[in-house]
Amino acid sequence: MEDKTIVMGVIGSDVHAVGNRILQEAFEKAGFEVINIGVLAPQEDFINAAVETDADAILVSSLYGHGEMDCKGFKEKCVEAGLEDIVLYVGGNLVVGKQDWEPVKEKFLDMGFDRVYPPGTLPEEPIADLKEDLGIEE
Amino acid sequence: MEDKTIVMGVIGSDVHAVGNRILQEAFEKAGFEVINIGVLAPQEDFINAAVETDADAILVSSLYGHGEMDCKGFKEKCVEAGLEDIVLYVGGNLVVGKQDWEPVKEKFLDMGFDRVYPPGTLPEEPIADLKEDLGIEE
Amino acid sequence: MELKNEKWSLDKFKEIREEVLQQWPTGKDVDFEEAIEYHNNLPEEQIMAEKLAEAKEEDVTLIQPRAGVALIDEHIELLKFLREEGQADLLPSTIDSYTRQNNYEEAEAGIEESREEGRSMLNGFPAVNHGVKACREVVEALDAPLQVRHGTPDARLLAEITLAGGFTDYEGGGLSYNIPYAKNVSIEQTLLDWQYVDRLIGYYEENGIKINREPFGPLTGTLVPPSVSHSVAIIEGLLAAEQGVKNITLGYGQCGNLVQDVAALQSLEELAEEYLADYEDVMLTTVFHQWMGGFPQDEAQAFGVISWGAATAALGKATKVITKTPHEAMGVPTKEANAEGLRSTKQVINMLRDQSLLSNDKLEEEKEMIKQETKQILDRVFELGNGDVAQGTVRAFEAGVLDVPFAPSKYNAGNLLPARDDDGAVRFLNHGNLPFSDEVVEFHQEKLEARGKSEGREPNFQMVIDDIYAIGKGRLVGRPRS
Amino acid sequence: MELKNEKWSLDKFKEIREEVLQQWPTGKDVDFEEAIEYHNNLPEEQIMAEKLAEAKEEDVTLIQPRAGVALIDEHIELLKFLREEGQADLLPSTIDSYTRQNNYEEAEAGIEESREEGRSMLNGFPAVNHGVKACREVVEALDAPLQVRHGTPDARLLAEITLAGGFTDYEGGGLSYNIPYAKNVSIEQTLLDWQYVDRLIGYYEENGIKINREPFGPLTGTLVPPSVSHSVAIIEGLLAAEQGVKNITLGYGQCGNLVQDVAALQSLEELAEEYLADYEDVMLTTVFHQWMGGFPQDEAQAFGVISWGAATAALGKATKVITKTPHEAMGVPTKEANAEGLRSTKQVINMLRDQSLLSNDKLEEEKEMIKQETKQILDRVFELGNGDVAQGTVRAFEAGVLDVPFAPSKYNAGNLLPARDDDGAVRFLNHGNLPFSDEVVEFHQEKLEARGKSEGREPNFQMVIDDIYAIGKGRLVGRPRS
């Protein structure tokens, strides 16, 4: 497969580092070029990294419940930066408290994310989705 | 307080003996004359014992879920035996499975029981009720 | 018929068998030859003894729920649910209380009412009424071994039907399904009736079919000291082995103190190996019952009790554990609650599967005491029977040498009063006529005096009552209210 | 300002204090003299150090949840619920993640949005924005001691406001709230900022007010070997004591193997007593954190994990335990789920309060290894600082002599790779630059080789990943899929 580049990181004031490291491992193993901007990452860092590396996708993680506030306007900022076509995923514990998943998913889809993953998703799922969305044949 | 006599036991094919023994202890301590007919007791045994001892109340326990079937017609049999005024209590795990308590209680009240107790009731409660229902002053 | 611990001749067995199979119309569908054939075609994953042997070999603890409802389809659905959603390794069919008293007419009425009401009016599966074919429907719908769990003093017809129906494990025994489950049935009678059941299983074994047998360990489930239940378990094991039973699971119900419980599990297996040494090819395994006494009403608290039972089973390396559910205090659980109890148990067991409670002086002392006590009881039983354990057992109950606390049976002396010591281990406050040495009696006395001292009260019946209610109220030891 | 482990002069403290109190408008409401007065009038039942001292004396394990929401009334309601329905002995106020990064503007926006949405948009209680008076409203609405729990590298203003607000316990430290909670903050900086916090508490102590301090034991909460977290805990304890802190609770996060966890709790207390011997009148207690890594999604399984943590805390005689909830895998729990975690924990703790894990060779060996490892690390830290533990700590992190697995901080070497051995105990697969003796290194190597052998694979990073996911998938040891 041709090299596809993805930018990943943990957004906002979130410091959950472990899953992020494992996710990187998994995506690299799956053949992606991974730019991991780490935890405590503002929206700008994702977008700048994507512009600089001409990335194909941005994967946003949020584990601490503030995802809803942290992700506001993300898609718009991507468009402003010329990344209107970039594939945008988000996943994790996206809201405070246990809520029904469907409305949460809808909310983030409405915000412009292409795919939204609930807590406990294993890496295999977004990897398969990303291959499909980027038209990678194995 | 004057001596009041109660007949107690575990109805039907139910063999739960421990709570029954403790209940006896508690009612005796509270000053009642207790006729304990034990476990595996058919309706007839309760009624015969009450007639023979001129009892003031019958306390039926059922812990195994068949209470609904085992208690059918109990009140009517009491009336036939001339015990129309005897105080009639029932308590325990009265039905199979976890059900809302209120409908269960209603069902047993409709069957002619004067009071119905849910699982986990401590002896103090029926003792106080019985003193009230039998007009015992302390 | 005279009771003796001696293998029944096949003729004698078959003679009685004719009567047994006529106790209810479904008995006539039992065909032994055809049942052998049926068992020969069972997949290995449905043979209990094979599964247990594998678990014992691998030092793994399997999980099994209790479950049974009135109607066949619902029963199958329930067991499928517990297998799939509860990850149960082994499956039960808990028999309803009418069947346990051989009240097949009332069971029939319960089946009818269940159909009409659209919910189970029975607290278990009435296997006798349903018959051989229905049992096989259940077996064939599932992919795990099935055990009959009940509480039936005369369980002969039930055994005939369920074993012909493809069940490969049968719980109970002439003592453990009499003393806690009957009021007026003589011990001699139930021992004879259970010799029949054991002989039937021996007959299956002679024909190459493995049927596992499991004496019911917890007895009344209420503060039963380990040596009391161990004595009963070993007697039932001996009686079963004599009739040709080859696969025996000995049971013990959690008391709550980790050291005592692990000591009990280990000593049970070691004692049984010793006492059953003369019988060849007997495979012994153990079953641990999560707390059988009163449960907290609150489900979160109940999960705590369940999980602690799971941890003890794993650390004590029981071959299997029988699970409770968060609905325990409310009676028969929903299938969801039943599966929840299984899943929390499985989680703990899996987390602890590579750990065990390591030996230390306290554990060794507890084991030694349990063994001493059990041997003192069993020695006297053999003595009373002039070497015959069956006859000795009957006389031992008469003499209170065998005695079970809080049992309904009038054939049980009922002199025992157990209470917890300061660490929560179950001791004898009153050991009745158990033939204990002074050393043993003093050991228990000292333990309870130490508790009394720390609570500023004399050990007495109130202490026992406090202990019975304690776990339901969130404690192990029933401390006086301050 | 040069970093040294030396008690700050009051002048120096007050000079910096002026700046700190101006970081956000609510800082101006802090009046130290008046706060002393306020604390003097607090009922004893609300003073953490008193409650902990009592529990330590009585050998009882107290329970405490994590909890915090954006708005004051809702926060009070939440804590009341956990006290009443969860039977919590000690109460927290968990601070939101914006406040932890000193983003008071974003916290303010979160408060606004929470008001508009009618639900908490913040994952904790923004105490700085709410200010002293609001903190006191919280304290006064409750009848248990309150602790601030957070994860704030620069927690000076938060300490000023919450302590003046009547909180009597403060979690964190210059390492434990930097390495797992920041990416770009130097260790020198956070050590200085936490010297400020400790000096503030020392100042309270000088005025007769007991404020408890609790280094955050679990660090990254993911397979942290005990000697790693013990080293950090003892360094933070020493730094705190030097500034005049008198009440210290040292923490440890459950690894899952009972023997290792109990050994860790016991060795932590023993080591701390040894290292802090020069400081007079320091009261040491311990806190055990229920499993901090990934949880199963299923609530019944989560109850199993929670209960096992409760059992370990009780058997290890921790002074308190921080509870998890059945919603753990889903993020911030509802108050009902939080109370459920508390109740299942309380049930287990109460059932086990009269039991402990008895000494045996394995336990002693584990304790000995943890002590050796911790001493080897701390010896080198002191050496690197020429006797000054603060300076030595900075250099030790540079040199990888102190190192935390899976931490986000760029000031952390990140060379460690921990993995479970065949019994589930956490060992070093790669010990990086930790200054271990050959004996220690070989001990770990052998343990992991034994596991590798039993799994038929070389110990490697895949094993680590399997271990990280294991509990979430219902196991302790991440065995290869068969």
Side-chain angles (χ1 to χ4, degrees):
Chain A
M1 102 187 200
E2 49 177 329
D3 268 15
K4 295 285 185 181
T5 301
I6 61 171
V7 170
M8 57 175 287
V10 185
I11 200 166
S13 298
D14 192 342
V15 296
H16 286 90
V18 184
N20 191 49
R21 175 155 171 195
I22 291 172
L23 219 51
Q24 175 184 344
E25 189 85 6
F27 274 93
E28 282 174 350
K29 240 190 191 163
F32 291 95
E33 185 70 32
V34 179
I35 315 297
N36 188 348
I37 61 169
V39 302
L40 290 168
Q43 295 188 0
E44 293 70 23
D45 286 9
F46 283 91
I47 291 165
N48 293 342
V51 170
E52 279 164 29
T53 61
D54 193 19
D56 303 283
I58 296 176
L59 276 61
V60 178
S61 289
S62 177
L63 278 297
Y64 74 145
H66 291 187
E68 202 173 336
M69 290 193 290
D70 293 336
C71 290
K72 247 183 220 165
F74 196 112
K75 176 70 184 181
E76 292 73 10
K77 284 220 186 72
C78 286
V79 175
E80 281 168 32
L83 301 172
E84 44 277 299
D85 295 329
I86 200 161
V87 172
L88 220 50
Y89 289 3
V90 65
N93 296 319
L94 296 173
V95 292
V96 175
K98 193 177 182 174
Q99 294 183 29
D100 283 342
W101 173 243
E102 280 307 319
V104 172
K105 186 177 163 182
E106 278 308 311
K107 185 172 291 165
F108 281 84
L109 290 175
D110 287 349
M111 285 163 74
F113 288 90
D114 298 299
R115 292 183 189 265
V116 190
Y117 299 95
T121 307
L122 290 179
E124 290 73 21
E125 200 182 327
I127 287 172
D129 291 340
L130 197 55
K131 286 183 175 172
E132 188 188 322
D133 292 352
L134 297 182
I136 298 171
E137 285 168 37
E138 296 198 63
Chain B
M1 101 187 201
E2 48 175 327
D3 267 16
K4 295 284 185 183
T5 300
I6 61 172
V7 170
M8 57 175 286
V10 185
I11 200 166
S13 298
D14 193 342
V15 296
H16 286 90
V18 184
N20 190 49
R21 174 154 172 195
I22 291 173
L23 219 51
Q24 175 183 344
E25 188 86 6
F27 275 92
E28 283 175 350
K29 241 191 188 160
F32 291 95
E33 185 71 32
V34 179
I35 315 296
N36 188 349
I37 61 169
V39 303
L40 289 168
Q43 295 187 0
E44 291 69 23
D45 286 11
F46 284 92
I47 291 165
N48 293 342
V51 171
E52 280 165 28
T53 61
D54 193 20
D56 303 282
I58 296 177
L59 278 59
V60 177
S61 289
S62 176
L63 279 297
Y64 73 147
H66 291 186
E68 202 174 337
M69 290 192 289
D70 293 337
C71 290
K72 245 183 221 164
F74 197 111
K75 176 70 184 178
E76 291 72 12
K77 284 219 185 72
C78 287
V79 175
E80 282 168 29
L83 300 172
E84 43 276 299
D85 295 329
I86 200 161
V87 171
L88 220 50
Y89 291 3
V90 65
N93 297 318
L94 296 172
V95 292
V96 174
K98 192 177 182 174
Q99 293 183 30
D100 283 342
W101 173 242
E102 279 307 318
V104 172
K105 187 177 161 182
E106 279 308 312
K107 185 171 293 165
F108 280 84
L109 289 174
D110 287 350
M111 284 162 76
F113 289 90
D114 299 300
R115 293 185 189 264
V116 190
Y117 300 95
T121 307
L122 291 179
E124 288 75 20
E125 200 182 325
I127 287 173
D129 291 341
L130 196 55
K131 286 185 175 172
E132 189 188 320
D133 292 352
L134 298 181
I136 298 171
E137 284 167 37
E138 297 199 66
Chain C
M1 197 161 68
E2 200 202 357
L3 174 69
K4 265 200 283 189
N5 182 33
E6 209 178 81
K7 188 168 185 179
W8 288 17
S9 73
L10 207 51
D11 283 349
K12 172 177 160 185
F13 168 71
K14 286 188 173 168
E15 190 188 318
I16 297 181
R17 190 160 196 252
E18 264 181 59
E19 297 164 31
V20 169
L21 295 181
Q22 285 169 27
Q23 289 172 347
W24 190 254
T26 49
K28 69 175 187 308
D29 300 330
V30 177
D31 175 342
F32 187 77
E33 306 302 320
E34 185 268 350
I36 296 293
E37 186 63 26
Y38 184 79
H39 275 274
N40 270 324
N41 290 321
L42 272 184
E44 192 171 307
E45 63 182 17
Q46 290 206 271
I47 300 168
M48 188 66 82
E50 303 287 359
K51 278 263 198 171
L52 292 172
E54 197 186 310
K56 184 179 180 173
E57 171 74 26
E58 292 175 2
D59 240 349
V60 164
T61 303
L62 303 175
I63 66 173
Q64 181 179 1
R66 293 181 179 79
V69 289
L71 306 179
I72 298 160
D73 289 348
E74 284 73 7
H75 187 62
I76 290 172
E77 188 195 323
L78 169 60
L79 295 183
K80 270 194 168 164
F81 187 88
L82 297 178
R83 176 90 175 119
E84 282 157 23
E85 300 300 317
Q87 306 167 42
D89 299 304
L90 315 171
L91 291 172
S93 286
T94 300
I95 305 301
D96 71 286
S97 290
Y98 291 144
T99 301
R100 296 181 190 192
Q101 301 292 331
N102 311 112
N103 291 336
Y104 308 122
E105 263 119 20
E106 286 192 69
E108 198 67 37
I111 293 173
E112 282 311 313
E113 285 202 49
S114 300
R115 285 208 184 98
E116 284 160 24
E117 296 263 341
R119 64 188 163 99
S120 183
M121 299 292 287
L122 295 176
N123 62 3
F125 180 70
V128 169
N129 294 62
H130 285 313
V132 174
K133 208 166 140 264
C135 288
R136 291 185 183 177
E137 270 183 59
V138 174
V139 169
E140 288 162 22
L142 297 155
D143 63 350
L146 276 133
Q147 183 191 39
V148 187
R149 304 188 68 83
H150 42 133
T152 313
D154 175 4
R156 295 172 297 170
L157 180 58
L158 180 65
E160 288 281 4
I161 285 173
T162 52
L163 297 181
F167 283 73
T168 56
D169 196 355
Y170 202 71
E171 198 193 35
L175 305 175
S176 62
Y177 271 9
N178 174 344
I179 306 300
Y181 288 104
K183 198 158 69 165
N184 294 318
V185 184
S186 81
I187 289 164
E188 202 162 355
Q189 188 57 52
T190 49
L191 287 183
L192 283 167
D193 289 343
W194 278 87
Q195 279 186 329
Y196 178 98
V197 171
D198 288 331
R199 188 63 187 86
L200 172 61
I201 291 169
Y203 193 23
Y204 271 100
E205 291 281 354
E206 287 159 21
N207 284 273
I209 302 304
K210 290 185 180 179
I211 305 286
N212 198 68
R213 271 279 288 117
E214 179 183 327
F216 176 61
L219 302 175
T220 51
T222 307
L223 302 178
V224 180
S227 58
V228 168
S229 52
H230 283 17
S231 300
V232 169
I234 288 166
I235 290 170
E236 293 191 353
L238 283 166
L239 294 172
E242 176 65 27
Q243 299 302 325
V245 172
K246 296 283 178 205
N247 297 282
I248 301 175
T249 304
L250 295 167
Y252 167 73
Q254 179 179 26
C255 281
N257 174 286
L258 179 63
V259 174
Q260 184 177 44
D261 284 338
V262 173
L265 273 168
Q266 291 180 358
S267 61
L268 177 59
E269 193 161 4
E270 289 167 18
L271 281 165
E273 271 163 11
E274 207 177 310
Y275 277 92
L276 285 157
D278 289 345
Y279 294 100
E280 271 168 43
D281 303 330
V282 172
M283 183 190 69
L284 291 175
T285 49
T286 55
V287 53
F288 182 79
H289 293 253
Q290 288 176 348
W291 177 243
M292 294 288 288
F295 254 66
Q297 299 258 330
D298 175 63
E299 295 189 19
Q301 289 179 259
F303 273 118
V305 178
I306 290 167
S307 301
W308 179 235
T312 305
L315 293 172
K317 299 282 164 213
T319 319
K320 74 172 183 179
V321 57
I322 305 291
T323 61
K324 285 282 184 179
T325 85
H327 284 183
E328 177 60 25
M330 318 303 290
V332 181
T334 60
K335 66 179 192 295
E336 289 80 10
N338 208 333
E340 282 169 12
L342 283 163
R343 289 202 302 272
S344 58
T345 299
K346 186 81 144 206
Q347 176 77 29
V348 173
I349 289 208
N350 276 346
M351 284 171 65
L352 300 190
R353 68 188 291 170
D354 305 309
Q355 304 180 44
S356 59
L357 187 70
L358 299 159
S359 174
N360 60 52
D361 295 348
K362 190 79 195 332
L363 181 65
E364 295 310 317
E365 187 198 24
E366 283 293 335
K367 280 177 69 172
E368 189 46 41
M369 287 310 297
I370 295 171
K371 285 184 178 182
Q372 265 190 47
E373 293 168 26
T374 309
K375 283 179 182 177
Q376 288 171 11
I377 294 171
L378 291 177
D379 279 357
R380 187 64 62 85
V381 171
F382 277 100
E383 213 178 291
L384 288 169
N386 298 315
D388 185 295
V389 67
Q391 295 180 1
T393 295
V394 174
R395 289 176 203 140
F397 269 102
E398 279 168 14
V401 163
L402 285 166
D403 197 352
V404 175
F406 309 108
S409 171
K410 72 176 188 193
Y411 294 92
N412 183 68
N415 293 326
L416 302 188
L417 225 42
R420 294 190 186 279
D421 70 13
D422 220 30
D423 300 333
V426 175
R427 309 294 180 194
F428 292 96
L429 176 58
N430 184 343
H431 69 286
N433 292 333
L434 299 191
F436 286 157
S437 64
D438 291 349
E439 192 201 340
V440 166
V441 173
E442 277 160 28
F443 173 81
H444 288 268
Q445 240 163 22
E446 280 166 22
K447 290 285 185 187
L448 290 173
E449 273 163 19
R451 171 177 170 192
K453 212 172 148 191
S454 92
E455 292 180 359
R457 62 171 171 176
E458 284 299 305
N460 59 16
F461 191 61
Q462 187 57 48
M463 196 181 259
V464 181
I465 293 183
D466 291 342
D467 284 348
I468 289 173
Y469 278 121
I471 285 188
K473 289 181 175 170
R475 293 287 301 263
L476 181 63
V477 182
R479 303 292 183 190
R481 277 151 259 188
S482 49
Chain D
M1 195 162 67
E2 200 202 355
L3 174 70
K4 264 199 281 191
N5 183 33
E6 209 178 79
K7 188 168 184 180
W8 288 16
S9 74
L10 206 51
D11 283 350
K12 173 177 158 185
F13 168 70
K14 287 189 172 168
E15 191 189 316
I16 298 179
R17 192 161 196 253
E18 264 183 61
E19 296 166 33
V20 168
L21 295 181
Q22 283 170 25
Q23 290 171 346
W24 190 253
T26 50
K28 70 174 187 312
D29 300 329
V30 176
D31 175 342
F32 188 77
E33 305 303 321
E34 186 268 350
I36 295 293
E37 186 63 25
Y38 184 80
H39 275 274
N40 270 323
N41 289 321
L42 272 185
E44 192 172 307
E45 63 183 17
Q46 290 206 272
I47 300 168
M48 188 65 82
E50 303 288 358
K51 277 266 198 168
L52 292 173
E54 198 185 308
K56 184 180 180 173
E57 172 74 25
E58 292 174 4
D59 240 349
V60 164
T61 302
L62 304 174
I63 66 172
Q64 182 179 0
R66 295 182 178 80
V69 289
L71 305 179
I72 298 161
D73 289 349
E74 284 74 7
H75 187 61
I76 289 173
E77 188 196 324
L78 170 61
L79 295 182
K80 270 195 167 165
F81 187 88
L82 297 178
R83 176 87 173 121
E84 284 158 22
E85 300 300 316
Q87 305 168 43
D89 300 303
L90 314 172
L91 292 173
S93 288
T94 299
I95 305 300
D96 70 285
S97 291
Y98 292 144
T99 300
R100 297 180 189 191
Q101 302 292 333
N102 311 111
N103 292 336
Y104 306 122
E105 262 120 21
E106 285 192 70
E108 198 67 38
I111 293 173
E112 282 310 313
E113 283 200 52
S114 300
R115 284 207 184 97
E116 283 161 26
E117 295 264 342
R119 64 187 164 99
S120 183
M121 298 292 286
L122 294 177
N123 62 2
F125 180 68
V128 168
N129 293 62
H130 285 313
V132 174
K133 208 165 139 267
C135 287
R136 290 185 182 176
E137 270 183 61
V138 175
V139 169
E140 287 162 23
L142 297 154
D143 63 350
L146 277 131
Q147 182 192 40
V148 187
R149 303 188 68 83
H150 42 134
T152 313
D154 176 4
R156 295 173 298 170
L157 180 60
L158 179 65
E160 287 282 3
I161 285 172
T162 52
L163 297 181
F167 282 75
T168 56
D169 196 355
Y170 203 71
E171 198 194 35
L175 305 175
S176 62
Y177 271 9
N178 174 343
I179 307 299
Y181 287 104
K183 198 157 74 167
N184 293 319
V185 183
S186 81
I187 289 164
E188 201 161 357
Q189 187 59 51
T190 49
L191 288 183
L192 282 167
D193 289 344
W194 278 87
Q195 280 186 327
Y196 178 98
V197 172
D198 288 330
R199 188 63 188 86
L200 171 64
I201 290 169
Y203 193 23
Y204 272 99
E205 291 281 354
E206 286 159 22
N207 284 274
I209 302 305
K210 290 185 180 178
I211 305 287
N212 197 68
R213 272 280 286 117
E214 179 184 327
F216 176 62
L219 302 176
T220 50
T222 308
L223 302 179
V224 180
S227 58
V228 167
S229 52
H230 283 17
S231 299
V232 169
I234 287 166
I235 290 170
E236 293 191 355
L238 282 166
L239 295 172
E242 176 65 26
Q243 300 301 325
V245 172
K246 296 284 179 203
N247 297 282
I248 301 175
T249 305
L250 296 168
Y252 167 73
Q254 179 179 25
C255 281
N257 174 286
L258 179 62
V259 175
Q260 183 177 47
D261 284 338
V262 173
L265 272 168
Q266 291 180 358
S267 61
L268 177 58
E269 194 161 4
E270 289 167 18
L271 282 165
E273 270 163 12
E274 207 177 311
Y275 277 93
L276 285 157
D278 289 345
Y279 295 99
E280 271 169 45
D281 303 329
V282 171
M283 183 191 70
L284 291 175
T285 49
T286 55
V287 53
F288 181 79
H289 294 252
Q290 289 176 348
W291 177 244
M292 294 287 288
F295 254 66
Q297 299 259 331
D298 175 63
E299 295 188 20
Q301 289 179 260
F303 273 118
V305 179
I306 290 167
S307 301
W308 179 235
T312 305
L315 293 172
K317 299 283 165 210
T319 319
K320 73 172 183 179
V321 56
I322 305 290
T323 59
K324 286 282 183 178
T325 84
H327 283 183
E328 177 60 26
M330 320 302 290
V332 180
T334 60
K335 66 179 192 296
E336 289 80 12
N338 208 332
E340 283 169 12
L342 284 163
R343 289 201 302 273
S344 58
T345 298
K346 186 81 145 207
Q347 176 77 29
V348 173
I349 288 207
N350 277 346
M351 285 172 64
L352 299 189
R353 67 188 291 168
D354 305 309
Q355 304 180 44
S356 59
L357 187 71
L358 299 158
S359 175
N360 60 50
D361 295 348
K362 190 78 197 328
L363 182 64
E364 296 310 318
E365 187 199 24
E366 283 292 335
K367 279 176 70 171
E368 189 45 43
M369 286 310 298
I370 295 171
K371 285 185 180 181
Q372 264 191 48
E373 293 168 25
T374 308
K375 283 179 182 175
Q376 288 171 10
I377 295 171
L378 290 177
D379 279 358
R380 186 65 61 86
V381 170
F382 277 102
E383 213 178 290
L384 287 171
N386 298 316
D388 185 293
V389 67
Q391 294 179 1
T393 296
V394 174
R395 289 178 204 139
F397 269 103
E398 278 168 15
V401 162
L402 285 167
D403 197 351
V404 175
F406 309 109
S409 171
K410 72 177 191 195
Y411 293 93
N412 183 66
N415 292 326
L416 302 188
L417 225 43
R420 294 190 186 278
D421 69 15
D422 219 30
D423 300 333
V426 175
R427 308 295 180 193
F428 292 96
L429 177 57
N430 183 344
H431 69 285
N433 292 333
L434 299 191
F436 286 156
S437 64
D438 290 350
E439 191 200 342
V440 167
V441 174
E442 277 160 27
F443 174 82
H444 288 269
Q445 241 163 21
E446 279 165 22
K447 290 285 186 188
L448 289 174
E449 274 164 19
R451 172 178 169 191
K453 211 172 150 191
S454 93
E455 293 180 359
R457 61 171 171 175
E458 285 299 305
N460 59 17
F461 190 62
Q462 187 57 46
M463 196 181 260
V464 181
I465 293 181
D466 291 342
D467 284 348
I468 289 173
Y469 279 120
I471 285 188
K473 289 182 176 168
R475 293 287 301 261
L476 181 63
V477 182
R479 302 292 184 189
R481 278 151 260 188
S482 48

